[in-house]
Amino acid sequence: MPRTREPGAFLPTLLLVFSGYLLLALGAVWLSRQPGSIATLWYANAFTVALLWDQPLRRWAPILAVAMLADLLANLAFGDGLALASSFIAPNLLEIILAAALLRVSGAALRMNESPGAFLQFMFFGALLPPLMGASLGASILAWQGLDSFESGWMYWVEGAMLGAVSVLPLAVWMRQHSWWEFIGERRRHELLFYGGLVLLGTPLALLWLPFPFVYLSLPLMIAAVRLTFASTALLVAMTSVSGGLIIALGLLDATTLEKGWRDLLVYLPLLLALLPALLLASAVEQLRKRRRELAASETRFRDAMDHSAIGMALVGLDGRWQRVNHALCDMLGYSEDELTALSFHDLTHPEDLADDLELVREVLAGRRHSYRLEKRYLHKSGREIWGLLAVSLVRDHEGEPMYFISQIEDIDRRKRAEEREAELARRYSVATEASGVGVWEWDLASDRLLWDEGMCRLYGRSLGDDLSFADWRAHLHPDDAERAEREVLAAREGSRRLDIEFRIRRADGGQRVLKGHARLVCDADGTPLRMVGTNWDVSELRQLAERLHDERERLQVTLDAIGDGVITTDLEGRVSFLNPVAVRLSGWQSDEAQGLPIEQVLLLEGEDGRLVPNPVRECLEQGSATSLQGLASLRHPAGGTIALRGQAAPMRSGDGTLLGSVLVLTDVSEARAMQKHLRYAATHDALTGLLNRPAFEDALAESCRDVLQNDGSSVLCFIDLDRFKQVNDSAGHAAGDELLRQLARLMQSQVRAGDQLARLGGDEFALILRSCPLPQAELLAARLIAQIQGVVLEWEGQQFRVGASIGMSCIHGSNAQPAELLKQADTACYRAKHAGRGQFAVEHR
């Protein structure tokens, strides 16, 4: 990753520039003075550009001064006169400043290894255009002094400077943006050492002994570009350049096939052509590696999320076949991953549920819905049915064409089975109540005689007509219940309590049953107890049913406590009867506190406008059918703040269809809602100033035009262009310019009315719609804005900056309400204002 360099100590930088430039220039001048030397190798300018381009502008002058001092000293050291030595300063200075400025303004240095196109842009700005300009000036000076012809001097200069820039600039710029440790930590450093040795040894060998030597120079570099990083390739290119350039410059290369003049002029061109392809390939490979890393990271995150999900997940093709499944889905359906991917979801869907599923799939493919949820039955490998909650979404490519489905399948089989069992138990409870026989008995207290009817005899397994006493009844009692049951009967005999008892008995045939007994005491006129009359009925099945219902209720309670949605039940009047823990958290009410309260008091639901919205429970109870929260609703929490919700109310009915109440399921969608708001805001607002961006402003302008046409009103469009803003960017950098734009945006926003529309169209251009505003009032506001903008002073790194503004205005009325034409009019008026002296406004009357 490129890193942002903070300006360090300045003196070491100056010393580095001076010493580096001096050594490189001395080497180049010495080389040019050697017998047989063809042309010099000039690396000094590229070295200085690499150290200069990202320095603050205030440091450029000292850095350039020490570099040119080193240039002067290098030429003087080899006996050149002061006039001749000084003549090289201007073209070198032009070349360095132009290259550094172009790299800084274009940002090409930061993107050079992102793609071949970015690298070519970097080479154009840093290694092609500046040497051409510097060579033109330098060759003109040489020709004027009579030292060489313009054509020869120009060609020597261009080749030497371009070779130096291509060789040094990529590596040096990379080193300015990265740490040495990143370079030392090259993953294939052993290969780097191998290719480095190959370059150092092979370059002289190829140039001195092999035919077509530049083919052999480029081959290891191309292989290294594929195998190594961009930085390593740049290092090898630099090594090849230095090694090969020295051989060529010393005239050791055999180039007899060309005439003497052309051999001298074009001597470095093959070397340049051998080095550039490797750097281009390295940038392409670097871009490919980056994309592969990003793709691999994205695929890894998705694969991990899918593999470790607690619910079943699958990628399903448009033909319905499972393309990829996770372990949870395999465990749920009993198949291995290979077995599942050989099937389609049609094969595993219950035939009765397939039609509904396919209809929803068709709606998603047609674009009528983005996703769907469905409770359906799947066929387990063993043949049994399994209930699953299916959530499906469609993935489309960048052109909107369907690619595949993402399916999430939650195992809800236990819940559905529990619902079925509960319904079955309720049915059995009703049947048991209707079918259970009730026995009636009478106990004569004076004679201790028990009279049982046929139902009582059937319950106890005795014959009808037997003479029975209290002791006979007690003999049927279960030993564990005998003492308690006798005590409660005797207490009821004394009139101290009403008899309501449940007890176990042992029948005459040895069976054991659970009975329920009620009785009342019959007294004479004086209140003396005469007899007790009561009933018994068999509640054995009801007792077992109650125990099973209790177990099921406990499991249901655990389920309600564990799910991520809030669940609230009400009675027929809409009064709360139950809240699960999630509903307690969402509403802020404890379950016992909320019981009996109206649902509207517990859940204060608001719409987007802040007004209360009807609770879906009321509509559900009135219509007897499921209803949902309409639109975007929020829940106002008693402790403060709101929670975005999605909710659905469904009726609760008894086994015979009688409405008992309702159940409301709430889902917290606050995070999704917040993300939608953020995306809508980002799509319509400028990231730097927070104002409307150009597309949003154009929509606002079109709306204003429609409003003017419908209501016969008038508005004013203002086009605001800052004066002298480019000077701020050039002098203090884009960070200062961005800060000034933010300050001016806040200033202008504070001056306009709430209903007006202010936008940043781009760069230093702004636009303003003054709704229902007469032109004289708009002119006053324009004059005030110009004056206030001129009064803003930006303090930046010890400097003060001021800008101005020119404003062009056009009137929006019934005969002039075309957005494109209005923008053109306002732009024309602004142009007039600028050419009239800036710092004023102009009106385009139409």
Side-chain angles (χ1 to χ4, degrees):
M1 285 290 293
R3 56 190 176 95
T4 302
R5 297 185 59 88
E6 296 292 337
F10 191 34
L11 183 57
T13 302
L14 289 177
L15 292 175
L16 177 61
V17 172
F18 178 79
S19 59
Y21 197 102
L22 182 61
L23 290 175
L24 292 173
L26 285 172
V29 175
W30 172 84
L31 185 64
S32 67
R33 308 301 168 87
Q34 301 307 304
S37 176
I38 299 175
T40 188
L41 297 171
W42 196 254
Y43 299 110
N45 287 356
F47 171 77
T48 306
V49 170
L51 293 176
L52 179 66
W53 71 274
D54 62 345
Q55 292 287 340
L57 293 178
R58 65 179 184 276
R59 292 186 174 184
W60 281 33
I63 292 175
L64 292 170
V66 299
M68 293 302 99
L69 177 60
D71 181 40
L72 181 63
L73 294 176
N75 286 283
L76 292 175
F78 284 91
D80 291 344
L82 180 61
L84 178 60
S86 301
S87 64
F88 295 105
I89 293 178
N92 284 330
L93 191 62
L94 172 63
E95 185 176 327
I96 294 172
I97 293 176
L98 182 59
L102 289 175
L103 293 180
R104 183 187 186 94
V105 173
S106 66
L110 299 173
R111 306 187 305 270
M112 66 172 179
N113 61 336
E114 291 183 358
S115 67
F119 182 76
L120 286 176
Q121 184 187 35
F122 172 75
M123 285 287 100
F124 179 78
F125 288 143
L128 177 59
L129 186 58
L132 292 176
M133 301 300 293
S136 299
L137 180 59
S140 299
I141 294 174
L142 292 174
W144 176 68
Q145 293 180 343
L147 299 176
D148 200 352
S149 67
F150 177 84
E151 295 80 2
S152 177
W154 186 84
M155 182 62 75
Y156 287 148
W157 194 300
V158 167
E159 287 194 326
M162 286 182 60
L163 181 61
V166 171
S167 306
V168 173
L169 204 55
L171 179 62
V173 168
W174 186 92
M175 292 304 302
R176 289 287 291 170
Q177 302 176 54
H178 296 75
S179 168
W180 269 103
W181 293 107
E182 293 184 48
F183 189 79
I184 296 173
E186 162 70 59
R187 184 169 61 89
R188 301 178 183 270
R189 54 181 175 272
H190 297 298
E191 289 191 36
L192 175 59
L193 294 175
F194 169 75
Y195 286 116
L198 184 62
V199 164
L200 292 176
L201 296 176
T203 300
L205 176 64
L207 291 175
L208 297 176
W209 300 102
L210 296 178
F212 307 106
F214 297 102
V215 175
Y216 301 101
L217 295 186
S218 63
L219 182 60
L221 295 179
M222 299 293 283
I223 298 175
V226 175
R227 298 287 299 172
L228 304 179
T229 63
F230 178 85
S232 299
T233 304
L235 176 61
L236 296 175
V237 166
M239 295 167 61
T240 304
S241 168
V242 173
S243 178
L246 287 173
I247 293 174
I248 296 173
L250 292 173
L252 301 178
L253 178 65
D254 184 14
T256 57
T257 56
L258 292 176
E259 296 180 6
K260 180 68 169 63
W262 283 107
R263 182 175 66 85
D264 291 348
L265 293 177
L266 301 178
V267 67
Y268 289 132
L269 185 59
L271 183 58
L272 277 171
L273 296 179
L275 300 180
L276 276 175
L279 291 171
L280 285 170
L281 179 60
S283 63
V285 172
E286 194 81 3
Q287 180 187 30
L288 179 61
R289 288 171 179 162
K290 180 180 178 182
R291 290 182 177 177
R292 284 180 176 175
R293 288 194 299 269
E294 293 173 349
L295 180 60
S298 176
E299 290 179 348
T300 299
R301 288 193 296 271
F302 177 77
R303 188 185 307 111
D304 290 345
M306 183 173 179
D307 291 342
H308 297 93
S309 174
I311 64 175
M313 295 186 65
L315 303 183
V316 184
L318 300 181
D319 58 355
R321 302 189 70 82
W322 309 86
Q323 295 180 350
R324 179 178 173 82
V325 295
N326 68 348
H327 299 301
L329 184 60
C330 294
D331 295 340
M332 175 181 171
L333 299 178
Y335 290 92
S336 67
E337 183 175 345
D338 292 337
E339 290 173 333
L340 270 183
T341 52
L343 300 172
S344 69
F345 79 88
H346 309 77
D347 303 324
L348 300 178
T349 300
H350 193 282
E352 296 178 4
D353 298 340
L354 184 58
D356 294 339
D357 199 356
L358 291 176
E359 177 61 27
L360 291 171
V361 168
R362 285 190 287 269
E363 291 187 11
V364 171
L365 289 173
R368 292 191 293 271
R369 60 167 66 212
H370 299 295
S371 60
Y372 68 87
R373 290 166 64 91
L374 175 68
E375 289 186 355
K376 57 179 284 189
R377 288 166 291 179
Y378 289 91
L379 301 177
H380 192 271
K381 185 177 182 180
S382 63
R384 60 188 179 90
E385 302 173 4
I386 296 178
W387 280 95
L389 176 60
L390 172 66
V392 176
S393 58
L394 178 62
V395 177
R396 299 179 181 270
D397 61 18
H398 65 282
E399 296 181 351
E401 293 298 322
M403 297 175 61
Y404 56 85
F405 295 95
I406 298 179
S407 298
Q408 301 182 60
I409 307 170
E410 182 180 355
D411 188 349
I412 59 171
D413 192 64
R414 287 189 178 182
R415 175 172 65 83
K416 296 295 290 188
R417 301 301 180 189
E419 292 173 357
E420 293 174 356
R421 287 195 300 270
E422 187 173 353
E424 177 62 19
L425 290 173
R427 185 189 66 80
R428 290 173 59 189
Y429 179 88
S430 176
V431 172
T433 301
E434 295 174 359
S436 63
V438 177
V440 180
W441 56 271
E442 181 178 341
W443 181 24
D444 188 336
L445 300 180
S447 63
D448 192 31
R449 183 182 178 188
L450 282 175
L451 298 177
W452 286 2
D453 69 354
E454 184 177 359
M456 285 290 292
C457 293
R458 187 169 56 252
L459 288 175
Y460 287 79
R462 300 184 67 98
S463 299
L464 188 62
D466 290 347
D467 292 333
L468 302 171
S469 64
F470 182 82
D472 294 321
W473 172 74
R474 191 182 186 285
H476 281 282
L477 295 177
H478 191 281
D480 295 339
D481 296 346
E483 182 178 352
R484 175 184 57 81
E486 182 179 6
R487 183 172 62 250
E488 293 191 24
V489 170
L490 293 178
R493 175 182 175 179
E494 298 298 327
S496 61
R497 67 180 63 178
R498 180 184 177 185
L499 183 61
D500 185 359
I501 185 174
E502 183 175 305
F503 53 96
R504 289 170 292 176
I505 64 168
R506 290 177 174 174
R507 290 167 48 89
D509 57 7
Q512 181 175 302
R513 307 295 293 174
V514 180
L515 302 183
K516 186 78 173 176
H518 284 172
R520 68 182 183 88
L521 188 64
V522 179
C523 302
D524 61 8
D526 297 332
T528 302
L530 299 177
R531 62 184 183 274
M532 291 184 68
V533 179
T535 59
N536 282 176
W537 66 92
D538 191 347
V539 294
S540 300
E541 292 186 3
L542 291 178
R543 180 69 174 272
Q544 297 173 4
L545 179 62
E547 292 175 353
R548 289 196 295 270
L549 285 175
H550 179 268
D551 294 341
E552 293 296 330
R553 191 177 296 110
E554 288 295 321
R555 284 191 284 269
L556 180 60
Q557 184 68 45
V558 171
T559 301
L560 289 174
D561 290 347
I563 63 175
D565 294 334
V567 179
I568 301 176
T569 61
T570 72
D571 59 15
L572 284 172
E573 302 300 324
R575 293 187 295 266
V576 174
S577 57
F578 168 78
L579 291 85
N580 76 337
V582 176
V584 168
R585 175 178 60 80
L586 294 176
S587 68
W589 289 82
Q590 295 297 322
S591 185
D592 55 350
E593 295 174 347
Q595 286 185 7
L597 296 178
I599 186 67
E600 292 83 0
Q601 183 176 347
V602 176
L603 293 179
L604 297 175
L605 299 175
E606 298 179 353
E608 287 188 289
D609 56 0
R611 298 181 180 179
L612 294 179
V613 298
N615 196 294
V617 168
R618 291 299 175 188
E619 185 178 354
C620 171
L621 294 174
E622 291 174 1
Q623 299 180 359
S625 60
T627 58
S628 301
L629 274 172
Q630 300 299 320
L632 301 176
S634 299
L635 170 63
R636 181 164 295 281
H637 199 278
T642 58
I643 302 173
L645 293 177
R646 182 176 66 248
Q648 184 174 25
M652 291 191 302
R653 299 183 182 277
S654 64
D656 59 359
T658 303
L659 185 63
L660 301 176
S662 70
V663 57
L664 176 63
V665 179
L666 302 173
T667 303
D668 186 351
V669 295
S670 300
E671 292 187 5
R673 187 83 54 82
M675 180 59 72
Q676 292 175 354
K677 289 182 179 179
H678 174 74
L679 292 176
R680 287 199 298 268
Y681 181 88
T684 58
H685 287 74
D686 176 50
L688 177 63
T689 62
L691 302 179
L692 292 179
N693 57 22
R694 188 179 193 104
F697 180 78
E698 291 175 350
D699 293 340
L701 179 58
E703 177 62 27
S704 297
C705 292
R706 288 193 294 270
D707 180 66
V708 165
L709 292 174
Q710 293 174 1
N711 301 317
D712 195 23
S714 65
S715 299
V716 177
L717 170 64
C718 300
F719 186 90
I720 306 169
D721 191 5
L722 300 181
D723 299 330
R724 302 183 303 279
F725 178 75
K726 185 175 183 299
Q727 298 176 9
V728 179
N729 275 343
D730 293 343
S731 300
H734 288 280
D738 291 346
E739 175 59 26
L740 181 57
L741 288 176
R742 284 190 286 266
Q743 293 185 16
L744 294 178
R746 290 194 294 269
L747 171 66
M748 289 188 282
Q749 188 70 64
S750 67
Q751 298 298 314
V752 300
R753 301 168 300 173
D756 298 334
Q757 300 286 336
L758 178 62
R760 180 187 177 211
L761 302 183
D764 59 349
E765 296 179 348
F766 297 83
L768 172 63
I769 302 174
L770 299 173
R771 295 181 179 272
S772 302
C773 178
L775 181 59
Q777 183 177 345
E779 291 175 341
L780 290 176
L781 175 60
R784 186 167 69 250
L785 280 177
I786 292 172
Q788 299 238 352
I789 290 173
Q790 290 174 344
V792 173
V793 178
L794 174 65
E795 299 283 349
W796 191 267
E797 295 184 349
Q799 301 182 67
Q800 292 186 347
F801 298 93
R802 296 175 182 268
V803 297
S806 300
I807 300 179
M809 295 188 289
S810 59
C811 298
I812 309 174
H813 49 76
S815 59
N816 190 31
Q818 296 297 321
E821 184 63 28
L822 287 167
L823 283 171
K824 185 184 300 182
Q825 295 170 15
D827 185 45
T828 301
C830 183
Y831 180 79
R832 292 208 319 271
K834 278 188 173 293
H835 281 265
R838 299 183 178 179
Q840 50 186 288
F841 65 86
V843 181
E844 183 76 7
H845 294 284
R846 293 292 177 93

